[in-house]
PDB file of all heavy atoms in Angstrom:
ATOM      1  N   LEU A 696      -5.468 -29.713 -23.269  1.00 31.00           N
ATOM      2  CA  LEU A 696      -5.581 -31.146 -23.543  1.00 31.00           C
ATOM      3  C   LEU A 696      -4.579 -32.027 -22.926  1.00 31.00           C
ATOM      4  O   LEU A 696      -4.761 -33.000 -22.235  1.00 31.00           O
ATOM      5  CB  LEU A 696      -5.383 -31.336 -25.079  1.00 31.00           C
ATOM      6  CG  LEU A 696      -5.464 -32.815 -25.558  1.00 31.00           C
ATOM      7  CD1 LEU A 696      -6.682 -33.461 -25.213  1.00 31.00           C
ATOM      8  CD2 LEU A 696      -5.193 -32.833 -27.020  1.00 31.00           C
ATOM      9  N   LEU A 697      -3.321 -31.442 -22.815  1.00 34.00           N
ATOM     10  CA  LEU A 697      -2.202 -32.151 -22.083  1.00 34.00           C
ATOM     11  C   LEU A 697      -2.538 -32.139 -20.601  1.00 34.00           C
ATOM     12  O   LEU A 697      -2.195 -33.175 -19.904  1.00 34.00           O
ATOM     13  CB  LEU A 697      -0.870 -31.490 -22.378  1.00 34.00           C
ATOM     14  CG  LEU A 697      -0.415 -31.653 -23.816  1.00 34.00           C
ATOM     15  CD1 LEU A 697       0.955 -30.906 -24.002  1.00 34.00           C
ATOM     16  CD2 LEU A 697      -0.202 -33.062 -24.235  1.00 34.00           C
ATOM     17  N   GLY A 698      -3.046 -31.023 -20.112  1.00 39.00           N
ATOM     18  CA  GLY A 698      -3.378 -30.982 -18.768  1.00 39.00           C
ATOM     19  C   GLY A 698      -4.463 -31.963 -18.235  1.00 39.00           C
ATOM     20  O   GLY A 698      -4.428 -32.509 -17.125  1.00 39.00           O
ATOM     21  N   ARG A 699      -5.428 -32.211 -19.129  1.00 36.00           N
ATOM     22  CA  ARG A 699      -6.431 -33.137 -18.845  1.00 36.00           C
ATOM     23  C   ARG A 699      -5.906 -34.537 -18.700  1.00 36.00           C
ATOM     24  O   ARG A 699      -6.546 -35.409 -18.073  1.00 36.00           O
ATOM     25  CB  ARG A 699      -7.509 -33.107 -19.866  1.00 36.00           C
ATOM     26  CG  ARG A 699      -8.467 -31.825 -19.837  1.00 36.00           C
ATOM     27  CD  ARG A 699      -9.380 -31.959 -18.648  1.00 36.00           C
ATOM     28  NE  ARG A 699     -10.362 -33.081 -18.807  1.00 36.00           N
ATOM     29  CZ  ARG A 699     -11.414 -33.061 -19.478  1.00 36.00           C
ATOM     30  NH1 ARG A 699     -11.785 -31.946 -20.150  1.00 36.00           N
ATOM     31  NH2 ARG A 699     -12.201 -34.119 -19.539  1.00 36.00           N
ATOM     32  N   ARG A 700      -4.824 -34.812 -19.306  1.00 33.00           N
ATOM     33  CA  ARG A 700      -4.262 -36.178 -19.322  1.00 33.00           C
ATOM     34  C   ARG A 700      -3.254 -36.411 -18.119  1.00 33.00           C
ATOM     35  O   ARG A 700      -2.710 -37.406 -17.999  1.00 33.00           O
ATOM     36  CB  ARG A 700      -3.495 -36.361 -20.583  1.00 33.00           C
ATOM     37  CG  ARG A 700      -4.397 -36.435 -21.844  1.00 33.00           C
ATOM     38  CD  ARG A 700      -3.570 -36.592 -23.113  1.00 33.00           C
ATOM     39  NE  ARG A 700      -4.421 -36.587 -24.223  1.00 33.00           N
ATOM     40  CZ  ARG A 700      -3.928 -36.563 -25.501  1.00 33.00           C
ATOM     41  NH1 ARG A 700      -2.692 -36.537 -25.762  1.00 33.00           N
ATOM     42  NH2 ARG A 700      -4.772 -36.590 -26.573  1.00 33.00           N
ATOM     43  N   MET A 701      -3.110 -35.408 -17.292  1.00 37.00           N
ATOM     44  CA  MET A 701      -2.152 -35.542 -16.186  1.00 37.00           C
ATOM     45  C   MET A 701      -2.855 -36.091 -14.920  1.00 37.00           C
ATOM     46  O   MET A 701      -2.679 -35.600 -13.842  1.00 37.00           O
ATOM     47  CB  MET A 701      -1.501 -34.217 -15.836  1.00 37.00           C
ATOM     48  CG  MET A 701      -0.593 -33.677 -16.948  1.00 37.00           C
ATOM     49  SD  MET A 701       0.787 -34.633 -17.255  1.00 37.00           S
ATOM     50  CE  MET A 701       1.685 -34.521 -15.658  1.00 37.00           C
ATOM     51  N   LYS A 702      -3.732 -37.138 -15.170  1.00 37.00           N
ATOM     52  CA  LYS A 702      -4.372 -37.849 -14.068  1.00 37.00           C
ATOM     53  C   LYS A 702      -5.173 -36.947 -13.110  1.00 37.00           C
ATOM     54  O   LYS A 702      -5.118 -37.159 -11.902  1.00 37.00           O
ATOM     55  CB  LYS A 702      -3.306 -38.668 -13.250  1.00 37.00           C
ATOM     56  CG  LYS A 702      -2.611 -39.815 -14.136  1.00 37.00           C
ATOM     57  CD  LYS A 702      -1.670 -40.541 -13.145  1.00 37.00           C
ATOM     58  CE  LYS A 702      -0.967 -41.602 -13.918  1.00 37.00           C
ATOM     59  NZ  LYS A 702      -0.065 -42.322 -13.060  1.00 37.00           N
ATOM     60  N   GLY A 703      -5.738 -35.901 -13.717  1.00 38.00           N
ATOM     61  CA  GLY A 703      -6.626 -35.143 -12.912  1.00 38.00           C
ATOM     62  C   GLY A 703      -5.968 -34.013 -12.213  1.00 38.00           C
ATOM     63  O   GLY A 703      -6.586 -33.245 -11.429  1.00 38.00           O
ATOM     64  N   LEU A 704      -4.576 -33.942 -12.294  1.00 32.00           N
ATOM     65  CA  LEU A 704      -3.852 -32.931 -11.493  1.00 32.00           C
ATOM     66  C   LEU A 704      -4.216 -31.546 -11.954  1.00 32.00           C
ATOM     67  O   LEU A 704      -4.380 -30.615 -11.072  1.00 32.00           O
ATOM     68  CB  LEU A 704      -2.378 -33.161 -11.612  1.00 32.00           C
ATOM     69  CG  LEU A 704      -1.494 -32.243 -10.809  1.00 32.00           C
ATOM     70  CD1 LEU A 704      -1.802 -32.350  -9.337  1.00 32.00           C
ATOM     71  CD2 LEU A 704       0.062 -32.555 -11.057  1.00 32.00           C
ATOM     72  N   ALA A 705      -4.362 -31.343 -13.204  1.00 32.00           N
ATOM     73  CA  ALA A 705      -4.724 -30.021 -13.693  1.00 32.00           C
ATOM     74  C   ALA A 705      -6.041 -29.618 -13.286  1.00 32.00           C
ATOM     75  O   ALA A 705      -6.289 -28.418 -13.056  1.00 32.00           O
ATOM     76  CB  ALA A 705      -4.660 -29.991 -15.330  1.00 32.00           C
ATOM     77  N   ARG A 706      -6.961 -30.562 -13.115  1.00 38.00           N
ATOM     78  CA  ARG A 706      -8.292 -30.142 -12.678  1.00 38.00           C
ATOM     79  C   ARG A 706      -8.147 -29.705 -11.214  1.00 38.00           C
ATOM     80  O   ARG A 706      -9.007 -28.886 -10.761  1.00 38.00           O
ATOM     81  CB  ARG A 706      -9.280 -31.361 -12.802  1.00 38.00           C
ATOM     82  CG  ARG A 706      -9.335 -31.762 -14.301  1.00 38.00           C
ATOM     83  CD  ARG A 706     -10.566 -32.806 -14.444  1.00 38.00           C
ATOM     84  NE  ARG A 706     -11.839 -32.240 -13.988  1.00 38.00           N
ATOM     85  CZ  ARG A 706     -12.527 -31.429 -14.824  1.00 38.00           C
ATOM     86  NH1 ARG A 706     -12.118 -31.102 -15.974  1.00 38.00           N
ATOM     87  NH2 ARG A 706     -13.711 -30.958 -14.401  1.00 38.00           N
ATOM     88  N   GLY A 707      -7.382 -30.371 -10.400  1.00 36.00           N
ATOM     89  CA  GLY A 707      -7.219 -29.983  -9.058  1.00 36.00           C
ATOM     90  C   GLY A 707      -6.599 -28.599  -8.922  1.00 36.00           C
ATOM     91  O   GLY A 707      -6.995 -27.757  -8.132  1.00 36.00           O
ATOM     92  N   LEU A 708      -5.724 -28.220  -9.869  1.00 32.00           N
ATOM     93  CA  LEU A 708      -5.156 -26.890  -9.842  1.00 32.00           C
ATOM     94  C   LEU A 708      -6.091 -25.764 -10.079  1.00 32.00           C
ATOM     95  O   LEU A 708      -6.092 -24.682  -9.721  1.00 32.00           O
ATOM     96  CB  LEU A 708      -3.955 -26.753 -10.794  1.00 32.00           C
ATOM     97  CG  LEU A 708      -2.720 -27.754 -10.478  1.00 32.00           C
ATOM     98  CD1 LEU A 708      -1.751 -27.655 -11.578  1.00 32.00           C
ATOM     99  CD2 LEU A 708      -2.180 -27.429  -9.185  1.00 32.00           C
ATOM    100  N   MET A 709      -7.112 -26.183 -11.044  1.00 35.00           N
ATOM    101  CA  MET A 709      -8.157 -25.271 -11.401  1.00 35.00           C
ATOM    102  C   MET A 709      -9.285 -25.227 -10.463  1.00 35.00           C
ATOM    103  O   MET A 709     -10.288 -24.535 -10.604  1.00 35.00           O
ATOM    104  CB  MET A 709      -8.657 -25.577 -12.801  1.00 35.00           C
ATOM    105  CG  MET A 709      -7.533 -25.348 -13.891  1.00 35.00           C
ATOM    106  SD  MET A 709      -8.066 -25.863 -15.450  1.00 35.00           S
ATOM    107  CE  MET A 709      -9.268 -24.635 -15.833  1.00 35.00           C
ATOM    108  N   GLY A 710      -9.265 -25.991  -9.384  1.00 40.00           N
ATOM    109  CA  GLY A 710     -10.316 -26.085  -8.363  1.00 40.00           C
ATOM    110  C   GLY A 710     -11.585 -26.791  -8.868  1.00 40.00           C
ATOM    111  O   GLY A 710     -12.648 -26.537  -8.291  1.00 40.00           O
ATOM    112  N   LEU A 711     -11.526 -27.727  -9.782  1.00 44.00           N
ATOM    113  CA  LEU A 711     -12.719 -28.490 -10.327  1.00 44.00           C
ATOM    114  C   LEU A 711     -12.878 -29.792  -9.552  1.00 44.00           C
ATOM    115  O   LEU A 711     -13.731 -30.615  -9.881  1.00 44.00           O
ATOM    116  CB  LEU A 711     -12.509 -28.751 -11.770  1.00 44.00           C
ATOM    117  CG  LEU A 711     -12.458 -27.370 -12.611  1.00 44.00           C
ATOM    118  CD1 LEU A 711     -12.306 -27.723 -14.105  1.00 44.00           C
ATOM    119  CD2 LEU A 711     -13.620 -26.505 -12.359  1.00 44.00           C
ATOM    120  N   THR A 712     -12.000 -30.195  -8.627  1.00 44.00           N
ATOM    121  CA  THR A 712     -12.038 -31.415  -7.890  1.00 44.00           C
ATOM    122  C   THR A 712     -12.067 -31.128  -6.426  1.00 44.00           C
ATOM    123  O   THR A 712     -11.294 -30.348  -5.947  1.00 44.00           O
ATOM    124  CB  THR A 712     -10.848 -32.359  -8.221  1.00 44.00           C
ATOM    125  OG1 THR A 712     -10.745 -32.548  -9.605  1.00 44.00           O
ATOM    126  CG2 THR A 712     -10.962 -33.636  -7.562  1.00 44.00           C
ATOM    127  N   SER A 713     -13.146 -31.667  -5.894  1.00 42.00           N
ATOM    128  CA  SER A 713     -13.243 -31.382  -4.404  1.00 42.00           C
ATOM    129  C   SER A 713     -12.176 -32.185  -3.616  1.00 42.00           C
ATOM    130  O   SER A 713     -12.020 -33.366  -3.896  1.00 42.00           O
ATOM    131  CB  SER A 713     -14.679 -31.783  -3.803  1.00 42.00           C
ATOM    132  OG  SER A 713     -14.831 -33.091  -4.129  1.00 42.00           O
ATOM    133  N   GLY A 714     -11.551 -31.557  -2.715  1.00 41.00           N
ATOM    134  CA  GLY A 714     -10.501 -32.197  -1.872  1.00 41.00           C
ATOM    135  C   GLY A 714     -10.554 -31.654  -0.525  1.00 41.00           C
ATOM    136  O   GLY A 714     -11.399 -30.883  -0.102  1.00 41.00           O
ATOM    137  N   THR A 715      -9.507 -32.025   0.226  1.00 38.00           N
ATOM    138  CA  THR A 715      -9.419 -31.530   1.659  1.00 38.00           C
ATOM    139  C   THR A 715      -9.084 -30.098   1.632  1.00 38.00           C
ATOM    140  O   THR A 715      -8.135 -29.585   0.988  1.00 38.00           O
ATOM    141  CB  THR A 715      -8.268 -32.248   2.281  1.00 38.00           C
ATOM    142  OG1 THR A 715      -8.577 -33.660   2.223  1.00 38.00           O
ATOM    143  CG2 THR A 715      -8.244 -31.837   3.770  1.00 38.00           C
ATOM    144  N   GLN A 716      -9.976 -29.264   2.215  1.00 39.00           N
ATOM    145  CA  GLN A 716      -9.796 -27.829   2.249  1.00 39.00           C
ATOM    146  C   GLN A 716      -8.784 -27.466   3.258  1.00 39.00           C
ATOM    147  O   GLN A 716      -8.526 -28.104   4.253  1.00 39.00           O
ATOM    148  CB  GLN A 716     -11.070 -27.094   2.562  1.00 39.00           C
ATOM    149  CG  GLN A 716     -12.200 -27.404   1.475  1.00 39.00           C
ATOM    150  CD  GLN A 716     -13.474 -26.616   1.807  1.00 39.00           C
ATOM    151  OE1 GLN A 716     -13.489 -25.886   2.788  1.00 39.00           O
ATOM    152  NE2 GLN A 716     -14.506 -26.796   0.988  1.00 39.00           N
ATOM    153  N   THR A 717      -8.051 -26.308   2.959  1.00 34.00           N
ATOM    154  CA  THR A 717      -7.186 -25.759   3.879  1.00 34.00           C
ATOM    155  C   THR A 717      -7.804 -25.292   5.133  1.00 34.00           C
ATOM    156  O   THR A 717      -8.757 -24.550   5.036  1.00 34.00           O
ATOM    157  CB  THR A 717      -6.305 -24.663   3.212  1.00 34.00           C
ATOM    158  OG1 THR A 717      -5.768 -25.144   1.919  1.00 34.00           O
ATOM    159  CG2 THR A 717      -5.187 -24.187   4.090  1.00 34.00           C
TER     160      THR A 717
END
Side-chain angles (χ1 to χ4, degrees):
L696 175 61
L697 295 176
R699 287 286 299 274
R700 295 176 180 174
M701 293 297 293
K702 297 183 179 180
L704 181 59
R706 301 188 60 81
L708 298 177
M709 298 175 65
L711 301 179
T712 303
S713 59
T715 304
Q716 296 183 2
T717 304

